[in-house]
């Protein structure tokens, strides 16, 4: 991937897109209640809350790496329990979205490398920042799509998901 394709402006747009999507997703999950949010639905991370917790975990881990302040967060298997309740997840999701948008607003470059200890690979890893930024937003879209499907199957109304309809993108 060419670093020139991933610009600070693109990162800002994608951070705003993520926050915009969570404006409908968070209330939808909150409206389910604890039991329904935790109900096993056959998804990779089991439930809506498990998937949402994993996604929040990943966002917080990656943002820590991008800021140069990695957090101790366990591994992917533990990510489904990253938040204890729907209310805890919702508050932290909103904080994470605000933090991601704020960080993106100050981003000056997408060039260079990010180095971190990978629990998946069990070693130190280095990758181009542009690739990892793309991964961050692709990962959000992937798992939010899973949550969207589970909410739809549960009969919960969901919001518009097309980037083209986000006001700031027009």
């Amino acid at each position: 991937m060419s670093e020139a394709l991933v610009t600070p402006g693109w990162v800002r747009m994608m951070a705003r897109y993520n926050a915009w999507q969570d404006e409908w997703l968070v209330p939808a999950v909150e409206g389910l209640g604890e039991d329904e949010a935790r109900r096993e639905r056959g998804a990779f991370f089991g439930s809506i809350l498990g998937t949402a917790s994993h996604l929040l975990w990943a966002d917080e881990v990656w943002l820590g790496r991008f800021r140069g302040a990695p957090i101790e967060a366990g591994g992917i298997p533990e990510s489904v329990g990253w938040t204890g309740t729907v209310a805890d997840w919702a508050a932290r999701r909103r904080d994470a979205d605000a933090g991601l948008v704020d960080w993106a607003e100050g981003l000056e470059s997408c060039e260079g490398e990010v180095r971190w200890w990978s629990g998946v690979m069990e070693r130190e890893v280095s990758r181009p920042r542009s690739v990892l930024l793309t991964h961050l937003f692709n990962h959000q879209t992937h798992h939010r799509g899973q949550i969207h499907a589970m909410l739809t199957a549960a009969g919960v109304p969901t919001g518009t998901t097309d980037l083209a309809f986000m006001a700031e993108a027009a």
Side-chain angles (χ1 to χ4, degrees):
M1 166 177 293
S2 168
E3 289 184 1
L5 296 175
V6 179
T7 66
W10 180 82
V11 172
R12 286 188 279 278
M13 178 182 66
M14 294 307 294
R16 289 190 311 267
Y17 173 72
N18 174 68
W20 177 60
Q21 288 300 288
D22 285 341
E23 287 177 11
W24 66 260
L25 182 92
V26 171
V29 174
E30 287 176 312
L32 286 172
E34 285 296 325
D35 290 343
E36 281 299 302
R38 292 176 181 281
R39 189 162 73 86
E40 172 60 47
R41 296 177 188 272
F44 187 83
F45 290 106
S47 67
I48 291 170
L49 183 59
T51 305
S53 289
H54 166 75
L55 181 51
L56 175 63
W57 169 86
D59 287 352
E60 290 178 350
V61 166
W62 281 111
L63 189 54
R65 290 173 182 162
F66 291 135
R67 287 180 168 158
I71 60 172
E72 293 294 323
I76 292 171
E78 295 83 23
S79 68
V80 297
W82 188 239
T83 58
T85 65
V86 169
D88 179 39
W89 167 79
R92 289 176 60 189
R93 178 73 265 171
R94 288 181 177 106
D95 288 346
D97 290 345
L100 183 58
V101 168
D102 183 59
W103 170 80
E105 289 300 323
L107 185 66
E108 295 179 6
S109 174
C110 299
E111 296 178 8
E113 300 274 319
V114 175
R115 182 175 301 280
W116 77 99
W117 174 262
S118 168
V120 171
M121 299 183 78
E122 297 185 348
R123 64 180 172 86
E124 191 169 278
V125 178
S126 179
R127 297 285 186 268
R129 182 178 312 276
S130 61
V131 169
L132 298 176
L133 288 165
T134 302
H135 167 71
L136 170 71
F137 297 115
N138 187 60
H139 185 258
Q140 289 172 344
T141 301
H142 168 69
H143 287 303
R144 194 171 31 252
Q146 292 174 324
I147 296 167
H148 184 273
M150 289 185 276
L151 288 169
T152 301
V156 176
T158 57
T160 300
T161 61
D162 296 336
L163 176 62
F165 300 117
M166 182 177 76
E168 294 87 6

